[in-house]
Amino acid sequence: LNYALNKDAILKLIGGEYAGKVSTTITAKTVPGFQPYDAYPAPATGDVAKAKELLKGATPTIKLCYRPGTPLREQVAATYKEALERAGFQIVLSPTDATSHYTLIGNKVYANTNPGCDLLTGGWGQDYPSNSTVMGVLMKGGGAIHAEGNNNWSYLDVPELNTKLDTLLS
């Protein structure tokens, strides 16, 4: 997915240089301890050949839940679809209810069952420059995942990572 995605096209749609820069990290440069890295080195337009190589001919079907309601949101969803399908993914666009999108994706039952979402769109920003408001919000599992109201929309829950995050927060 990371190699197939055309991050440059999405950035241009949402405002180009005025919207920001393509990032290769989870945390921002403003967070103490920031270290630059690129786990999926590829141009901002993607590396379709690498994505196809990793897929090994597979054509997985993926449901992309997105918040509809404006022409821009529809364009962004279509751009995700186009970019991922050029690598071999089969993307099913699934608009949510625009007024309750974040409530839906923050609901563990909705996110992990039918209709569910394999991928989703959303916006989020850290409260202040600290990993407690980044990693601790977006990646902490265990007791941080509730039935509703989640910001860890991936529902990542890796005990070793949870322990490490707890250590870093103490």
Side-chain angles (χ1 to χ4, degrees), residues 23-97:
S23 179
T24 63
T25 62
I26 295 169
T27 57
K29 292 178 182 180
T30 59
V31 173
F34 169 82
Q35 301 250 338
Y37 68 93
D38 192 349
Y40 305 97
T45 55
D47 185 341
V48 176
K50 180 69 173 178
K52 286 182 177 184
E53 174 190 328
L54 292 169
L55 282 171
K56 299 178 182 174
T59 57
T61 298
I62 297 188
K63 186 174 183 180
L64 171 64
C65 296
Y66 69 98
R67 184 177 179 202
T70 68
L72 178 59
R73 291 180 191 152
E74 297 295 337
Q75 287 177 304
V76 169
T79 302
Y80 271 100
K81 178 179 172 68
E82 178 184 334
L84 297 174
E85 285 187 344
R86 67 188 179 158
F89 294 97
Q90 303 302 310
I91 304 300
V92 176
L93 293 179
S94 180
T96 62
D97 177 73

Side-chain angles (χ1 to χ4, degrees), residues 3 10 26 30-31 41-42 46 50 63 66 68 80 103 105 108 113 115 118 122 124 127 142 148 159 165:
Y3 285 113
I10 293 167
I26 295 169
T30 59
V31 173
K50 180 69 173 178
K63 186 174 183 180
Y66 69 98
Y80 271 100
T103 300
I105 64 175
K108 186 177 179 183
T113 61
D118 298 309
W124 178 86
D127 293 330
E148 298 176 325
L165 288 171

Side-chain angles (χ1 to χ4, degrees), residues 4-16:
L5 193 58
N6 186 342
K7 298 171 191 168
D8 183 62
I10 293 167
L11 182 62
K12 285 177 181 169
L13 276 173
I14 64 171

